[in-house]
Amino acid sequence: MREPKRHLVTSALPYANGALHLGHLAGAYLPADIYVRTLRLLGKDVVFVCGSDEHGAAITMKAKLEGVTPREIIDKYHELNKDTFQRLGISFDIYHRTSSALHAETAQAFFTELYTQGGEFEERMTEQYFDEEFQQFLADRYIVGTCPRCGNPEAYGDQCENCGSTLSPTELIQPRSVLSGKAPVLKLTKHWYFKLEKHADWLREWIEKGELDGVKHHDPKRWKKHVTGQCLSWLDSGLQPRAITRDLDWGIPVPLEEAKGKVLYVWFDAPIGYISATRQWALDHGKNWEDYWKSPDSQLVHFIGKDNIVFHCIVFPAMLKAHGDYLLPVNVPANQFLNFESRKFSKSKGWGIEQHEYLETFKDFPNKEDTLRYALIRNMPETRDSDFKWDEFVDFHDKELADNLGNFLNRVIVLTQKYYEGRVPEGVFAEDPHATAIRGLVKDLVYEIESFSFKDAVQKFLEISTYGNVFLQDTSPWAIWKDEPDSLVVKDCLYTCLQIVTVLSVIVEPFLPFTAKKIRAQLQLPEAKAGALAELLERLESGKALLPAGHLVGQPEVLFPKINDRKDGSRMELVEAQKAKLAAVLAAEQPEPKTEYATLKDLISYDDFAKMDIRTGTILEAEKVPKADRLLKLLVDLGFEKRTIVAGIAEHFQPEAIIGQQVLVLANLAPRPLKGIESNGMILMAGNEEGKLSFVTPEKGWPNGFGVK
RNA sequence: GGCGCGAUAGCUCAGCUGGUUAGAGCGUGCGAUUCAUAAUCGCAAGGUCGGGAGUUCAAGUCUCCCUCGCGCUACCA
C-alpha cells in the first residue's frame, strides 16, 4: 500500500448525556491519541477529530427528568467531556459538537444528496405510539411499561434496564407515555428508511477481501478478527432498511417539506459529525477539509469500542459510498470492553470510576494523568475484554515507570552530574551495536503502533529502558571510575546512556505526554516537535549525535515517586481509599430490597373481568421448544380436554420438574402460533421484582377444569 | 437457539501463513552489584497450550463435538 499523504483519525463521538469512564478512555480515545501523536512525531499530516453527539431522545429524556432543557444537558456534558479529555492529554485537533449550525447544514446536505440521487431511501408508513394529550409521537424512550421478559414495570420502549433485553415499544405490557402518563395510541406516521441491504454485496467484498470496486483498498488481515467476524456475521444474517427519521423535536430537521416535525435519527446524524468536525477544523486553520475526506491519498481510521462496530464498518461506510466521493476507513480498530476489578462498569451500582472523577480524586497525585494512561495501555482490551485493577495500577507505576524508566533516567543523570558536572562526555554511539539495537526497538515500536498493537508497542518502549539498565549494569562505570576517573569506557558508557535517554524522551510522548515534557526538561532540551521521531531515526541511521558531547543536562529529579513508598504513604492511601470504596459497594449489595411495584393498570369493569375464563389444570407433559431459550411446550389437562400451551418459562423451570404441577390457565385466550406450535391459552404466573416466577395454583388435589371466580 | 470472538506457566498476556527442547513481564527461589526512587543485573524452578475425537511425517496453530467467558441476535408470564 502506498504511503498516505494525509491521515484523518476519529474517536467515537461521546453521547452528551453523561460522563465517560475509564473503559471509554481505554477503548476509543487513548489508543487514538497514541496513534495520532506517533504520526505527528513522524512528521505526518494528521487531523484528529472528535466531538459530542448531542441529539436523540435519551437527551430530551434526561432533560425532562432533571427539569432542565436539553440544551443545558448537552452544554454541561459537552464541556465536561471536552475539558476532561484535554486534561488527560487526549490531543484532539478539534472537539466539535453536533448541535452546531455547521453540523446541521452538513447533515442536511448529506441527506439531501442521497435523497435527490434517488434509490437510496424508501418511505414507509408505520404505526407508532402517539400521546394524544401532548399531541406528539413518542420516541421509544418515552414509552414505559412492563417488560415482557422479566416483569420490570419500568422498562423503556427500547430496552429493559433490569434484564437488559432489547425491546420494541409494542412489546411492552401496559405501555404508558412518559409525558402524560396515559396509555398512548398507535397512529400511522411516515418515515424514511436507508436501503442498507442494497449495499450488502460490495460491503462483503470490501470487508472480506479489502477490495472496493475491484480495486485494493486495504489489507483485510490487518483488521481485528472480532471486527471482521462481527461484520460478516451481520452480512450473513441479511441487512435491513434502517429508519433514518424520527418523530421528535430535538435533532436536525429533515430537509423535506413533507417532513415537518421530523428529525434525522440520531444514528444518521452522529457519524456525519466526523465530517462537520473536520470542516470546522479546516475553517479554523485555513485548510481544505475535502483533502482529508475525499482525496485518495488520504487515510481514514475510526477508533471505537466494540459496541460501535456495525455502525462504523457497515452503516456509515454504506452512507459514505452511497453519497459518493468519500473515503472509507482503511481500518476500524475497535477495542473490546474494559472491566473494573472483575466486573462491568456500572454507574448505578457505584462500580468503576469516571474520568473526571479520577482526576478529581487523584488531584494531588503526581503524574496522575500518565499513570492512568500507562495502566490503561498496559491493560488495553485490544482483542478481548480486559480488567482494570488498582493493584496492577500500583504495580505498573512502581515497577515499570518508577523502577525501570524513572530510575534509569535518574541514575544516568546522577552519574553525569557526579562525573562530568552535568556535561555530556565525548563518546561513540552511532556506529556501535547499541545504536543498531536501539534503532531496531524504535522501529519495532513504530510498527506496532501502526498495527494498532499498543500493548506491544509500550512493551517495546520499556525494552529500551531495560536495554539501558542492562548496559549500564554490565559496564558498571562506577567500578571503573573509582580507579580511573578519565576512563574512556566510562565516558562511552555514559555517552551511550544519555543517547538512550534522549531516545526515550521522544518516543515516550505518545504514551506519556506529561512525562515527556519532564524528561526533556531534565535533559535541558526543548519539547519534541512534530517530526522529531523521524529526525531521531534519521540520526540513529546516519550516526549523528542525539545529544551532543558538551551539552549540559539538568539536575536529577525523581520522575515517579513510588506509590508503595514507606516514607510517604499518601499516594497509597488514595489507592486504598478506592479499594475500600469498592469493598463497601460489595458489602452493601446484599440487602437491596428497593422494591418497585408496578403502577396499577387502568380500571376495568366487571364485564371485562368476566370475559376471562380461567380454569384449573395440571401439566401432563413438558418439553423444551427447540431453538428457543424461554419456551416450554406443555400439555395441560383441563379435565374436559387436554391442550397444548406454549409458555415462556424455560429459564425458570426444568421440564421434568413441572410434570404434575397444578396450574391456572387462561383458557379462552385466542390461539397463537409460537415457533410453529399452536398455543391455546396462557399459564398464570406470579412474578417478583427479580423477575422470578411462581406457579399460581389451587389447593393441592383440586380437580381440573373448574373456573376461577 | 443462531452467529462472532476468546479460553496458553500462580497472575497478566505473546505465539504470523502447522515444523527443532511453547515465550515475555509480574510473583517465587538463589546469586551479583551499589550510580540510583530498598532501585538494577544474572540464573533457576514452574505449562498433559479448556476437554474429547480426527486430518497430517508433524498441531497451541487445521476440522468436528463438548464445556466455560464476552458480545450481537431470535423467542409473550
Side-chain angles (χ1 to χ4, degrees), chain A residues 47-58:
Chain A
V47 184
F48 183 20
V49 304
C50 193
S52 295
D53 173 9
E54 303 178 294
H55 292 132

Side-chain angles (χ1 to χ4, degrees), chain A residues 588-600:
Chain A
E589 216 159 52
Q590 294 306 50
E592 200 195 349
K594 51 156 195 163
T595 314
E596 278 190 35
Y597 296 99
T599 46
L600 277 181

